[in-house]
């Protein structure tokens, strides 16, 4: 899986802290109960001696070993039941001194055998939303609330086909997926909406997605050029532009275009093509404007390697407020 490495390390640490916290808390409750209810202290002393008793039975030998072990077991079950009762009589739940993990399935280890538990997948997805740069939009702009009624009949089939392609790309995303898209169209036609839906779907499948505006992406590269480690887009390290399983660059064409920004942009898209890592670009620019704005080597890479998707219609934000 392509989880973001920093996220993964952090989440693993959180899980091991959670696990230790749950055990420590149970141990603390147990100690308190032992002080408060000596009868339980006595029961626990007997229960924890069971191993030694079994050893004793086995070493002593004699024909009735299994019978005596079974008796021990019955005694223990009765003690455990009694222990729960005493706790309840004293106003505690019967499992008061048990370890209470947040997740019963994995005991807060994050794994069931060697398979990652759903709770850890969820934690990673949540972290992925944050580190994707999408935070506030996640959950609001989805495929399910993407409505085709806003597009004029003449362009609706094209939009449907384009969005259908993006949806199957996202839903089928796996470690071998490699596909690039460039989505063009004027403001308010759902480019950001649909790519947010793609990002969320791919993050939920456990991959590392980086969603940035062209302005902040190139800003990050500029900061590096000036030796400044501070980042504009919350990306700690520009290597994520190369390593993310999916990079989505929103609003290409709104950045300052100069020889530096062009070379950063080329570096990123070219390296990703060579590494067969998927990239999606959103832009208000037309194909002709892309050609005249960027170096040939950039536009030829885009036209050669990116599947174009064209949105046409009337600003949906305006349609909604009417
Ligand atoms: N097909 C759609 N169905 C429902 N809402 C949409 C659709 N397309 C866009 N919107 C909404 O309209 C607004 C503008 O869309 P946005 O994706 O930001 O446009 P763009 O990025 O193309 O400028 C957003 O609030 C978005 O959720
Ligand atoms: Mg947009
Ligand atoms: Zn779990």
């Amino acid at each position: 899986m392509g989880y973001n490495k920093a996220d993964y390390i952090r989440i693993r640490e959180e899980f091991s802290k959670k696990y230790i916290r749950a055990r420590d808390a149970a141990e603390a409750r147990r100690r308190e109960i032992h002080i408060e209810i000596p009868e339980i202290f006595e029961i626990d002393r007997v229960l924890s001696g069971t191993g030694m008793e079994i050893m004793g039975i086995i070493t002593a030998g004699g024909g009735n070993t299994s019978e005596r072990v079974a008796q021990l077991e019955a005694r223990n079950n009765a003690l455990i039941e009694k222990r729960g009762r005493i706790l309840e009589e004293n106003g505690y739940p019967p499992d008061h001194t048990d370890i209470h993990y947040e997740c019963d399935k994995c005991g807060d280890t994050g794994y069931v055998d060697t398979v990652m538990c759903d709770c850890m997948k969820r934690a990673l997805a949540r972290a992925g939303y944050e580190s994707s740069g999408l935070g506030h939009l996640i959950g609001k702009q989805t495929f399910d609330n993407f409505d085709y009624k806003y597009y004029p009949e003449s362009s609706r089939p094209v939009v449907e086909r384009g969005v259908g392609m993006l949806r199957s790309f996202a839903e089928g995303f796996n470690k071998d997926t490699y596909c690039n898209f460039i989505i063009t169209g004027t403001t308010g036609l759902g480019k950001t909406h649909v790519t947010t839906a793609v990002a969320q779907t791919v993050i939920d499948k456990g991959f590392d997605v980086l969603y940035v505006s062209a302005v902040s992406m190139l800003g990050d590269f500029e900061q590096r050029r000036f030796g400044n480690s501070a980042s504009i887009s919350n990306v700690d390290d520009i290597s994520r532009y190369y390593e993310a399983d999916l990079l989505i660059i929103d609003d290409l064409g709104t950045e300052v275009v100069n020889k530096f920004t062009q070379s950063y942009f080329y570096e990123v898209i070219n390296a990703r093509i060579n590494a067969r890592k998927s990239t999606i670009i959103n832009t208000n620019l037309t194909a002709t404007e892309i050609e005249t704005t960027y170096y040939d080597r950039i536009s030829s890479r885009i036209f050669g390697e990116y599947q174009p998707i064209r949105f046409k219609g009337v600003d949906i934000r305006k349609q909604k407020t009417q």
Side-chain angles (χ1 to χ4, degrees), residues 141 145-147 151 188-193 316-317 320:
Q141 305 193 333
N145 65 21
F146 188 95
D147 199 328
Y151 302 91
L189 292 185
K191 301 184 297 296
T192 299
H193 186 128
I316 291 167
R317 200 173 274 117
K320 283 187 170 178

Side-chain angles (χ1 to χ4, degrees), residues 15 18 102-112 116-122:
F15 269 67
K18 236 178 6 185
E102 247 170 60
C103 176
D104 290 332
K105 271 203 330 219
C106 68
D108 294 349
T109 60
Y111 285 85
V112 179
M116 193 187 287
C117 184
D118 288 338
C119 73
M120 185 153 173
K121 286 187 188 159
R122 276 195 303 275

Side-chain angles (χ1 to χ4, degrees), residues 12-28 99-102 107-109:
R12 284 296 307 253
E13 266 166 22
E14 278 172 19
F15 269 67
S16 64
K17 279 193 197 133
K18 236 178 6 185
Y19 170 84
I20 292 166
R21 225 175 17 239
R23 300 183 75 95
D24 285 353
E27 187 48 39
I99 302 171
H100 301 309
Y101 294 113
E102 247 170 60
D108 294 349
T109 60

Side-chain angles (χ1 to χ4, degrees), residues 35-302:
I35 294 167
E36 194 184 321
I37 315 171
E39 215 180 338
I40 290 199
F41 176 78
E42 193 48 42
I43 290 174
D44 285 349
R45 202 185 53 74
V46 174
L47 288 174
S48 66
T50 305
M52 288 302 283
E53 284 181 272
I54 291 176
M55 285 287 280
I57 293 171
I58 292 169
T59 349
N64 55 354
T65 308
S66 56
E67 198 182 308
R68 294 180 61 197
V69 171
Q71 275 168 5
L72 217 56
E73 221 167 83
R75 180 207 64 189
N76 282 1
N77 287 338
L79 280 177
I80 290 165
E81 207 193 314
K82 185 174 174 200
R83 187 183 191 281
R85 240 183 3 252
I86 298 171
L87 278 170
E88 274 184 311
E89 281 161 15
N90 283 272
Y92 296 100
D95 64 349
H96 179 67
T97 56
D98 293 358
I99 302 171
H100 301 309
Y101 294 113
E102 247 170 60
C103 176
D104 290 332
K105 271 203 330 219
C106 68
D108 294 349
T109 60
Y111 285 85
V112 179
D113 298 327
T114 55
V115 180
M116 193 187 287
C117 184
D118 288 338
C119 73
M120 185 153 173
K121 286 187 188 159
R122 276 195 303 275
L124 277 162
R126 265 196 311 273
Y129 294 157
E130 295 305 317
S131 58
S132 71
L134 267 175
H136 65 295
L137 285 181
I138 285 284
K140 296 200 181 91
Q141 305 193 333
T142 64
F143 284 116
D144 291 331
N145 65 21
F146 188 95
D147 199 328
Y148 296 102
K149 73 174 181 205
Y150 296 109
Y151 302 91
E153 259 173 58
S154 56
S155 57
R156 201 173 294 153
V158 177
V159 174
E160 274 180 2
R161 185 147 31 87
V163 173
M165 247 167 13
L166 289 167
R167 189 171 190 160
S168 23
F169 162 80
E171 288 174 350
F173 201 95
N174 64 58
K175 62 180 181 28
D176 301 316
T177 298
Y178 170 60
C179 209
N180 304 305
F181 297 96
I182 178 152
I183 309 172
T184 61
T186 50
T187 304
L189 292 185
K191 301 184 297 296
T192 299
H193 186 128
V194 79
T195 44
T196 302
V198 169
Q200 176 166 8
T201 308
V202 176
I203 291 168
D204 288 345
K205 294 181 79 78
F207 292 93
D208 184 21
V209 177
L210 179 54
Y211 195 112
V212 281
S213 69
V215 172
S216 39
M217 169 172 135
L218 296 164
D220 282 348
F221 281 84
E222 283 282 88
Q223 297 280 66
R224 188 196 52 164
R225 175 158 71 96
F226 295 120
N228 194 339
S229 63
S231 104
I232 294 179
S233 59
N234 288 324
V235 171
D236 302 327
D237 174 357
I238 57 152
S239 65
R240 271 197 77 211
Y241 289 105
Y242 301 97
E243 286 165 12
D245 298 310
L246 173 62
L247 172 66
I248 300 174
I249 305 172
D250 203 2
D251 279 330
L252 183 75
T254 54
E255 77 286 5
V256 174
V257 178
N258 60 38
K259 66 174 189 202
F260 293 107
T261 58
Q262 294 230 41
S263 78
Y264 304 141
F265 182 44
Y266 178 75
E267 237 179 80
V268 170
I269 64 166
N270 189 52
R272 293 187 63 86
I273 288 169
N274 292 338
R276 297 182 60 77
K277 283 181 180 286
S278 304
T279 307
I280 301 177
I281 296 176
N282 283 339
T283 184
N284 286 8
L285 301 175
T286 62
T288 319
E289 284 168 337
I290 293 173
E291 265 186 322
T292 53
T293 308
Y294 298 98
Y295 295 151
D296 281 352
R297 57 187 180 143
I298 294 178
S299 49
S300 68
R301 296 249 78 179
I302 293 177

